[in-house]
Amino acid sequence: MSRISDLIERLRALVFPSRREREMTEEIRFHIEREVEERVGRGADPGAARREALATFGNIEAVKEAVRDASGVRLLQDLGADFRYGLRSLGRDSLYTTAVVTVLGLGLGAAATAFAVADSVLLSPLPYREPDRLVRVGQLYQQNSTVWQLSTVDAQAILEQQRSFEVFGLVAWGEATLSGVGTPEKAPIGAVTSGFFRALEADAAVGRVVTPEDEWADAEPVAVVSHALANQRLGGAEAAVGRALTIDGLSHTVIGVLPEGTEKLGGVRATAWPVLKLRPPERRGPFWLRGIGRLREGVTLDDAARDMEAISKRIFPVWASSFQDQTARIAPMPLRDTIVGDAGRAVGLFFAAVVLVLLVAIANVTTLSLARASARESERALRVTLGAGRVRLARLPLAEGLVIGLAAGLLGFGIAVLGFRILGQLTPNLPRVDEVAIDGRVVAFLVACAILSGILVSISTMLAAFRSSSAPVGQGDGRRTGSDRRTTAFRSALVTAEFALALPLLLGSSLLFVSFSRLQRVDVGFDPEGVVSLSLALPDARYPGYAEVQTFWRQLEQRVAEVPGAFASGLTSELPPGQAGNINNFNLIDRPVQPGVAEHLAPWLVVTPGFFDALQIPLLEGRWFTEADSATGPPVVLVSRWWAQRYYPGESAVGRQMIEGGCVTCDPTTVIGVVGDVKYLGLAETGDAVYSPLAQSQARTAHLVVRSRAQPAITLKAVREVVAGLDPELSMEEQTLEARLADALTGPGRSTALLSVFAFAAVALAAVGIFGLLSYTVRQRRREIGVRIALGAAPSVITRMVVGQGMSYATAGTVVGLALTILEARWLDSFLYGVSASDPLTTAAAAVALLLVAAVACWLPGFRASRIHAVEAIATE
């Protein structure tokens, strides 16, 4: 028989077992009948001939078994039978099956979601060709290891002198008003050079991207737009090319449309990508450009770092008058690190929490499986009596475990699909969250976890079955068997482990809750109630100079002051909290930094005097801005209390002077007053801030803030009409400061809620686990308890005995969990505000709460034990 024929026969035996059995039976009957006929032909009696033929043939069943073994598929057939048995067995115990599949399915679904997030955010390569060659280039400050953007001087020096990059491009992003195609609106834009597209090897789906010729000073302004913008406002991708799109008042010709779904490039989200034209710099700052480079073949990151350092050294003496930090270096870093940022910490926390929950779920299901196996001991004894071997007995629970694991995996897949949708809504700002999807890697991970979980939950029952198969037949009493010391100890260890794993989750969620509560009570430095804001940007085309811009801002304030109900209004370049886009450097004249050392930095805001009234920020020392603080007056600033105490502790900061922005040729800036702290850097950060008068700036973008006695909707409607009366083409972005403050708390609140859900699940599973273990123990010790009660033991003594046993497991688990929290503390600390990860009060509260839950879970079976009827228990036994 050829190998192919042999394979076909084996497959037939595997796929059509009934047919194979029928054919085998017919063949045996054929041989026996032939033997009978021959014997009858030789004159034997038919009855005697049949008996002799059967005796000659031998044991028919033994022959069949030999044929089955020879078929080579016996093992697969047995495994198939095991799985069918597992399905039937689990189907008969639907309550148990539903419980374990649900528990395990929730854990697997969460694990699949966490893996998909970690895989997309941290593990998967960036969606560009040879992503390891892509780098971001920025200004690295040695003193605090922060990375800033590049200045025009830096960018031009890199373009002219670098030897490391095959292509180098630049991008400057922000918001701009899109008009000329429908209602003006603000949208994210990324002004780019041609090298940006070439470094990423990004091309347009229709038309073309920016080329070097588009960067020439006299070239027509052009822009590439997203597919969504083309569809929504430009009549579709094909029709968009060649149309005019006004960006901040300047008309651009659309030259290309990006592929559908491309909303981000190089980590920058934008709907329009106008060409970036660099102007000759007058000083080293400002720092506003992100460099994107593609390393040449064979050039390493270290090679590029040395190249950039050499450029830094060459340009430093040329521009030293406006930039004195000799330690700062232009430096390349993997683009992936820039895009992911510190999201890895949050993803890691999420993944770790899910892993803990999954482990608790596996331990819980294992405990339930052991209890169920013990109750089926009589069935085991029957199988041993019928001749089942150890391997076969151990294989049956494995089949059940795999069926449970695969069913839970199927449920987990559905949960993961739902989890992805919820995740996108909960974490819209998570890097690369739009790349999270169910792909082959996620499915493979889920299947692997499902199979592994099935094996893990069945190992203990397999070992128990393997050991019990050697026990004498006749000990198949479900009330006694399965309670050997090793099995009991293993069940106890599982319950202890559940509590040990639950405590870090409970403590983590408790710490985040405390941190979140303290964030809510942070003094943000202003009163947000009744304050609305409108964000405005004045385009160059209609407001070409200082006079036009200042006239508009002045008229706006005057007319808004006449809005019914409004009693304070002003303008600011940044809104608190958590918005400090302009970080400026300065050098105190009376306390200058050492030569070659980085200057001080502070959030630098441009405001009108009315801003302080609108937000009710108090003046602590000095004076407010006046009409005299105009463009023709000497530069002045107000500083926050934190700033004053930081640089002039115990002294007055009023009257001090500084060099602002490295401009040594400019007039020094004088501090004229100190105001209250406002949390521009974030709720958990300091109140550092410097305010300069809007009249002494060229600010074209500002936020109008209005405090009113009227409802916010009424105030916003009235203010919108005022703005439209001054310039109907201006786009406006409105919000209330109460909503803005609530948004600042959204992220910490979501993290707290998410970890709390995991902690609740883990604690609930641990409680269920110890409840199940004690309930099983009470059932096993029913006779013993009955005897104790018959001998006079009080119900309270029985209850304490059971509860004490359970609490010993919970206490041991809590102690182990406390040790695990030490490992957790260092990692969790960076997520907390106002509370330490090792806070003893919170740690003790979490441990006590876990033990209280355990006590309740233990008391219920203890109470039932105390109500056992002694006579019935003894008689039944």
Side-chain angles (χ1 to χ4, degrees):
M1 182 180 291
S2 67
R3 291 185 177 181
I4 295 178
S5 300
D6 180 61
L7 179 61
I8 292 174
E9 283 300 316
R10 291 175 187 271
L11 289 176
R12 285 184 60 199
L14 181 64
V15 178
F16 306 107
S18 300
R19 181 177 174 182
R20 177 73 174 177
E21 288 292 321
R22 188 170 59 252
E23 291 176 353
M24 185 165 56
T25 302
E26 291 175 353
E27 187 171 350
I28 292 173
R29 183 186 302 118
F30 171 77
H31 287 292
I32 293 175
E33 293 300 330
R34 287 288 304 273
E35 182 68 21
V36 171
E37 290 175 1
E38 288 182 6
R39 291 180 182 275
V40 171
R42 289 198 297 267
D45 176 72
R50 180 168 296 279
R51 286 193 298 274
E52 292 172 359
L54 288 172
T56 303
F57 191 85
N59 190 326
I60 295 177
E61 290 304 318
V63 173
K64 286 184 177 181
E65 287 295 320
V67 173
R68 292 182 188 118
D69 291 340
S71 66
V73 294
R74 179 62 179 270
L75 179 61
L76 294 176
Q77 287 178 332
D78 287 348
L79 289 176
D82 292 342
F83 276 101
R84 288 194 295 275
Y85 165 79
L87 286 171
R88 288 196 302 271
S89 174
L90 292 172
R92 288 194 298 268
D93 200 347
S94 58
L95 182 61
Y96 163 81
T97 305
T98 302
V100 297
V101 169
T102 301
V103 169
L104 205 54
L106 288 171
L108 289 173
T113 305
F115 173 79
V117 173
D119 184 46
S120 299
V121 175
L122 305 178
L123 304 178
S124 295
L126 297 177
Y128 307 107
R129 186 181 71 83
E130 297 182 280
D132 292 341
R133 292 172 56 193
L134 289 173
V135 297
R136 175 228 172 155
V137 182
Q139 191 75 242
L140 176 62
Y141 288 83
Q142 306 290 341
Q143 285 188 331
N144 49 16
S145 300
T146 57
V147 179
W148 279 39
Q149 311 291 35
L150 299 172
S151 67
T152 302
V153 171
D154 301 331
Q156 291 183 338
I158 296 171
L159 287 167
E160 293 168 0
Q161 303 176 30
Q162 65 88 15
R163 296 175 289 104
S164 303
F165 304 122
E166 188 176 289
V167 186
F168 180 78
L170 299 161
V171 57
W173 66 96
E175 287 192 332
T177 301
L178 303 183
S179 59
V181 283
T183 305
E185 67 175 19
K186 295 189 75 172
I189 67 159
V192 296
T193 62
S194 59
F196 177 80
F197 286 114
R198 287 187 289 128
L200 297 175
E201 298 189 355
D203 203 354
V206 180
R208 63 176 177 86
V209 294
V210 175
T211 62
E213 291 75 18
D214 296 322
E215 301 174 35
W216 295 350
D218 57 350
E220 177 188 7
V222 297
V224 177
V225 300
S226 68
H227 194 276
L229 178 63
N231 276 346
Q232 294 167 6
R233 309 190 65 164
L234 298 169
E238 296 291 343
V241 177
R243 290 193 63 179
L245 175 67
T246 302
I247 303 175
D248 269 350
L250 181 63
S251 179
H252 289 68
T253 300
V254 176
I255 57 172
V257 178
L258 293 177
E260 186 175 5
T262 304
E263 304 295 335
K264 281 185 176 180
L265 286 174
V268 176
R269 180 185 295 278
T271 57
W273 304 84
V275 63
L276 174 65
K277 298 180 179 180
L278 297 178
R279 298 175 180 174
E282 297 177 355
R283 59 190 178 98
R284 183 72 179 269
F287 297 85
W288 61 299
L289 299 165
R290 173 181 288 185
I292 301 291
R294 178 175 285 276
L295 294 171
R296 295 180 187 277
E297 286 282 355
V299 174
T300 66
L301 195 63
D302 290 339
D303 296 335
R306 286 190 287 272
D307 187 18
M308 296 298 103
E309 184 175 4
I311 294 175
S312 296
K313 291 179 178 177
R314 285 196 288 270
I315 63 176
F316 178 77
V318 180
W319 301 91
S321 60
S322 58
F323 189 75
Q324 299 181 17
D325 186 359
Q326 196 169 2
T327 64
R329 291 284 184 273
I330 301 173
M333 57 214 75
L335 179 60
R336 177 196 184 81
D337 293 353
T338 297
I339 293 176
V340 174
D342 61 354
R345 294 186 304 117
V347 173
L349 176 67
F350 175 53
F351 193 82
V354 168
V355 169
L356 288 178
V357 172
L358 180 58
L359 290 176
V360 173
I362 290 174
N364 196 278
V365 172
T366 303
T367 305
L368 294 174
S369 299
L370 278 170
R372 181 171 179 265
S374 298
R376 299 169 63 194
E377 191 61 26
S378 56
E379 178 185 332
R380 191 275 316 169
L382 179 61
R383 288 181 175 275
V384 172
T385 303
L386 295 176
R390 288 185 173 190
V391 175
R392 187 63 188 269
L393 285 176
R395 223 167 48 203
L396 292 176
L398 175 62
E400 282 192 4
L402 290 175
V403 170
I404 291 172
L406 292 175
L410 191 61
L411 175 63
F413 181 81
I415 292 172
V417 172
L418 181 63
F420 290 156
R421 295 179 181 177
I422 295 176
L423 190 71
Q425 297 174 355
L426 290 181
T427 59
N429 297 322
L430 183 68
R432 308 184 69 187
V433 69
D434 51 342
E435 299 176 26
V436 177
I438 297 180
D439 54 15
R441 292 157 63 97
V442 176
V443 173
F445 174 82
L446 181 59
V447 171
C449 284
I451 294 174
L452 181 61
S453 300
I455 294 173
L456 288 176
V457 300
S458 59
I459 281 180
S460 55
T461 49
M462 287 170 59
L463 294 176
F466 195 80
R467 289 197 303 270
S468 64
S469 63
S470 60
V473 175
Q475 293 185 357
D477 190 339
R479 294 167 298 180
R480 291 179 180 274
T481 53
S483 58
D484 60 90
R485 290 185 178 180
R486 283 181 294 186
T487 304
T488 302
F490 187 68
R491 274 197 292 262
S492 304
L494 286 175
V495 172
T496 301
E498 289 183 49
F499 279 88
L501 295 172
L503 183 59
L505 282 172
L506 183 59
L507 176 60
S509 67
S510 301
L511 288 169
L512 285 180
F513 180 78
V514 173
S515 172
F516 181 62
S517 300
R518 295 185 179 177
L519 272 180
Q520 288 179 307
R521 296 197 296 270
V522 164
D523 180 7
V524 294
F526 63 94
D527 180 10
E529 185 176 359
V531 180
V532 300
S533 77
L534 263 77
S535 303
L536 304 167
L538 305 182
D540 292 344
R542 296 197 301 280
Y543 302 89
Y546 170 84
E548 291 84 358
V549 171
Q550 293 297 323
T551 298
F552 178 87
W553 294 136
R554 189 166 51 252
Q555 290 177 344
L556 178 62
E557 277 199 303
Q558 291 171 352
R559 296 193 185 185
V560 168
E562 300 170 358
V563 169
F567 59 91
S569 63
L571 292 160
T572 176
S573 57
E574 316 281 358
L575 283 174
Q579 187 182 64
N582 183 26
I583 305 292
N584 201 3
N585 59 302
F586 62 93
N587 197 7
L588 300 172
I589 291 179
D590 58 348
R591 297 179 183 181
V593 299
Q594 295 298 317
V597 177
E599 295 183 343
H600 304 300
L601 300 172
W604 213 277
L605 300 101
V606 175
V607 300
T608 61
F611 166 76
F612 297 102
D613 289 336
L615 266 65
Q616 297 185 348
I617 301 173
L619 177 68
L620 305 177
E621 187 183 1
R623 67 170 178 85
W624 293 116
F625 296 136
T626 65
E627 292 292 332
D629 300 319
S630 62
T632 57
V636 294
V637 293
L638 291 166
V639 298
S640 68
R641 175 166 47 193
W642 189 94
W643 189 98
Q645 293 175 350
R646 163 71 175 78
Y647 297 105
Y648 295 97
E651 302 177 49
S652 173
V654 177
R656 311 286 182 166
Q657 290 190 312
M658 66 182 80
I659 301 298
E660 174 191 344
C663 184
V664 294
T665 59
C666 303
D667 293 334
T669 301
T670 304
V671 178
I672 62 169
V674 179
V675 298
D677 291 340
V678 176
K679 298 285 189 176
Y680 284 100
L681 293 172
L683 296 179
E685 301 298 332
T686 69
D688 190 11
V690 175
Y691 303 88
S692 65
L694 185 139
Q696 293 183 346
S697 77
Q698 304 285 338
R700 293 180 174 277
T701 61
H703 306 277
L704 173 66
V705 289
V706 182
R707 180 177 293 279
S708 174
R709 299 182 183 87
Q711 292 294 321
I714 297 174
T715 304
L716 285 170
K717 181 174 182 296
V719 174
R720 281 199 304 269
E721 291 174 353
V722 168
V723 175
L726 289 172
D727 188 339
E729 294 190 19
L730 283 183
S731 65
M732 293 170 272
E733 186 176 338
E734 59 191 39
Q735 62 180 323
T736 67
L737 260 62
E738 287 180 300
R740 184 175 180 81
L741 187 56
D743 288 344
L745 292 167
T746 300
R750 285 172 178 165
S751 299
T752 303
L754 190 61
L755 201 59
S756 297
V757 169
F758 291 139
F760 176 80
V763 172
L765 288 173
V768 170
I770 201 167
F771 172 80
L773 176 64
L774 291 184
S775 298
Y776 170 77
T777 302
V778 168
R779 190 166 61 249
Q780 296 294 109
R781 299 175 61 186
R782 180 179 173 82
R783 182 173 183 275
E784 174 198 336
I785 294 172
V787 171
R788 286 174 180 267
I789 293 174
L791 293 176
S796 60
V797 173
I798 300 299
T799 302
R800 284 200 301 272
M801 179 186 71
V802 176
V803 172
Q805 181 185 2
M807 290 306 294
S808 65
Y809 304 144
T811 303
T814 302
V815 172
V816 176
L818 286 172
L820 294 177
T821 59
I822 296 174
L823 302 176
E824 177 191 41
R826 185 182 299 176
W827 190 24
L828 197 61
D829 221 12
S830 58
F831 292 91
L832 304 177
Y833 169 77
V835 61
S836 168
S838 56
D839 180 56
L841 183 62
T842 308
T843 304
V848 169
L850 188 62
L851 290 175
L852 286 176
V853 171
V856 172
C858 294
W859 180 82
L860 292 173
F863 178 77
R864 290 172 57 187
S866 68
R867 295 296 183 269
I868 288 177
H869 194 285
V871 176
E872 290 182 0
I874 296 172
T876 302
E877 193 73 8

